[in-house]
Amino acid sequence: MKLFALVFTIFITVSMASLTPTLAESYKSMAPKGAEVYFIAPVDGATISGPVVIKFGLKGMGVAPAGVKKKNTGHHHLIIDARLTDFNASIPKDQNFRHFGGGQTQTTVKLAPGKHTLQLVLGDHNHIPHDKPVMSKTITITVK
Ligand SMILES: [Cu+2]
């Protein structure tokens, strides 16, 4: 009987191990086809004086606060003068990568005079971009 228990334990351990790769690939949240994130404001190429009001648009998905796991939702991330390179990890959090984990759909930022690039990327409850990533095109604005 003891031997049976041991064999059974080994069997379970081996099956779990063989399942791990599948689990590792499915940690990402799926995005529905046609989901789209975009800037309602500002428009690409705009020249702005003073603080920049940025409005986030989202089609085909909903907004949920960070930490809330709900199908076909995510929260906004605003990327300023930077580019996201790793789409399989949590989006960095600093001055260039701003999180709106409260579910906000707009913000106001103060930017130094000159040209700046802006991009929106949706992240899931763990701040990880979806599969496929839902991101806007990068826009360029000039701050006077
Ligand atoms: Cu986030």
Side-chain angles (χ1 to χ4, degrees):
M1 200 61 200
K2 258 188 187 163
L3 180 66
F4 173 77
L6 179 68
V7 168
F8 186 71
T9 307
I10 289 168
F11 173 74
I12 291 293
T13 309
V14 170
S15 333
M16 296 282 280
S18 63
L19 273 177
T20 310
T22 323
L23 290 173
E25 282 159 23
S26 62
Y27 71 95
K28 292 191 75 166
S29 301
M30 302 302 287
K33 252 203 161 114
E36 216 182 298
V37 67
Y38 56 95
F39 288 100
I40 296 169
V43 294
D44 194 12
T47 298
I48 294 153
S49 43
V52 183
V53 176
I54 303 172
K55 294 181 181 174
F56 318 144
L58 181 62
K59 255 194 265 181
M61 288 182 77
V63 172
V68 175
K69 189 176 178 179
K70 200 176 162 213
K71 204 174 179 230
N72 296 339
T73 67
H75 64 278
H76 289 286
H77 299 83
L78 174 64
I79 304 177
I80 304 172
D81 298 328
R83 223 164 56 88
L84 189 64
T85 52
D86 188 354
F87 289 87
N88 296 313
S90 291
I91 296 168
K93 191 172 195 169
D94 57 31
Q95 279 304 302
N96 298 100
F97 295 89
R98 307 206 187 169
H99 292 239
F100 297 88
Q104 305 94 314
T105 56
Q106 90 167 60
T107 191
T108 302
V109 292
K110 281 186 184 158
L111 297 172
K115 274 194 193 298
H116 296 278
T117 62
L118 303 172
Q119 188 183 26
L120 291 170
V121 178
L122 205 68
D124 71 3
H125 56 288
N126 286 326
H127 315 273
I128 300 172
H130 293 74
D131 183 14
K132 308 269 183 63
V134 180
M135 55 188 175
S136 75
K137 69 172 202 158
T138 301
I139 65 168
T140 304
I141 60 165
T142 303
V143 174
K144 278 207 278 191

